[in-house]
Amino acid sequence: DAKTTQPPSMDCAEGRAANLPCNHSTISGNEYVYWYRQIHSQGPQYIIHGLKNNETNEMASLIITEDRKSSTLILPHATLRDTAVYYCIVRVHEGGTSYGKLTFGQGTILTVHP
Amino acid sequence: DAGVIQSPRHEVTEMGQEVTLRCKPISGHNSLFWYRQTMMRGLELLIYFNNNVPIDDSGMPEDRFSAKMPNASFSTLKIQPSEPRDSAVYFCASSFTGQETQYFGPGTRLLVL
């Protein structure tokens, strides 16, 4: 799986949008971009994933650049409960069988301030 | 939906003792994963089961670690004998083939003295 690079930490004011960048310059054509987060003392939680189109769900939006070498996770209105470590992961989807290995990096510690 | 269930939530043991961690995946899921998290190494995959069969155990640190999945609703991770460097949080996750989301349990915090 391609390596990802994320800033070690970011701050955001409550109510503002949090934009978390991820660089994955060596991503290959069959690798998806995934985002998980881990709130303190909890297991990781899936947020969103995409291949090349921008994606949005109830939690966040994922913006992938046209060359797919980087992406941004957007939390539109950050709350204190969004304080967590955010992991950007690239992963192959292997046909009809999803070999589910997730390789976690160090992630970005997002701190949302009142 | 109860989610992935792990037990115990906390375990303190002495070096040399056997430790058994348990996991009940989400009903209907056919893939199960054991991860370990430490400050030094972060989150790392130990072993992956699909349809109760171990597919990839390349992350299992050494022979002291073993994992079983006797049926679709139960898995164990055993450490025998335990060592202080095994102290970590152990997570179990499950998913369904064709769905790309893994659901993680709350973890077991293991401290080996």
Side-chain angles (χ1 to χ4, degrees):
Chain A
D1 289 344
K3 180 174 176 158
T4 62
T5 304
Q6 300 178 251
S9 64
M10 294 184 65
D11 289 341
C12 179
E14 188 177 20
R16 305 297 293 269
N19 298 288
L20 292 91
C22 180
N23 183 288
H24 31 79
S25 58
T26 60
I27 194 170
S28 58
N30 63 346
E31 288 182 310
Y32 284 65
V33 180
Y34 277 73
W35 285 83
Y36 278 73
R37 74 179 182 183
Q38 187 174 23
I39 296 170
H40 182 61
S41 297
Q42 298 182 21
Q45 175 190 24
Y46 166 83
I47 301 174
I48 198 167
H49 76 280
L51 181 62
K52 54 183 178 182
N53 297 321
N54 298 337
E55 302 288 344
T56 295
N57 63 19
E58 66 278 4
M59 290 183 68
S61 294
L62 173 61
I63 308 298
I64 303 173
T65 58
E66 191 168 345
D67 63 6
R68 302 210 322 123
K69 294 180 184 282
S70 66
S71 61
T72 301
L73 178 74
I74 300 172
L75 307 178
H77 305 286
T79 71
L80 299 179
R81 289 176 294 182
D82 292 322
T83 292
V85 180
Y86 287 77
Y87 297 99
C88 171
I89 302 164
V90 292
R91 186 180 136 221
V92 173
H93 284 195
E94 299 178 352
T97 301
S98 58
Y99 172 54
K101 180 176 181 177
L102 294 173
T103 302
F104 289 84
Q106 294 303 308
T108 296
I109 300 172
L110 174 68
T111 304
V112 181
H113 297 287
Chain B
D1 186 354
V4 175
I5 299 173
Q6 292 187 248
S7 64
R9 294 293 309 277
H10 303 270
E11 177 81 20
V12 180
T13 190
E14 292 186 345
M15 182 175 63
Q17 296 298 306
E18 178 179 295
V19 175
T20 299
L21 311 181
R22 297 172 176 81
C23 175
K24 176 178 170 56
I26 292 173
S27 177
H29 283 187
N30 63 345
S31 294
L32 185 138
F33 311 83
W34 283 100
Y35 290 86
R36 178 173 67 176
Q37 185 171 35
T38 62
M39 288 294 293
M40 291 296 295
R41 300 175 65 91
L43 263 165
E44 50 185 349
L45 177 69
L46 299 178
I47 188 169
Y48 157 57
F49 291 88
N50 185 253
N51 293 323
N52 310 338
V53 176
I55 303 299
D56 182 356
D57 64 355
S58 59
M60 296 286 266
E62 49 196 91
D63 292 345
R64 297 183 298 106
F65 284 70
S66 62
K68 294 182 179 180
M69 192 163 187
N71 57 62
S73 59
F74 183 66
S75 177
T76 59
L77 178 67
K78 185 175 294 186
I79 308 173
Q80 168 62 21
S82 58
E83 296 182 3
R85 60 189 167 127
D86 301 330
S87 298
V89 182
Y90 290 81
F91 289 102
C92 176
S94 71
S95 69
F96 180 72
T97 302
Q99 295 179 354
E100 304 304 335
T101 304
Q102 288 185 24
Y103 295 86
F104 284 76
T108 294
R109 294 183 178 276
L110 174 64
L111 177 61
V112 183
L113 302 174

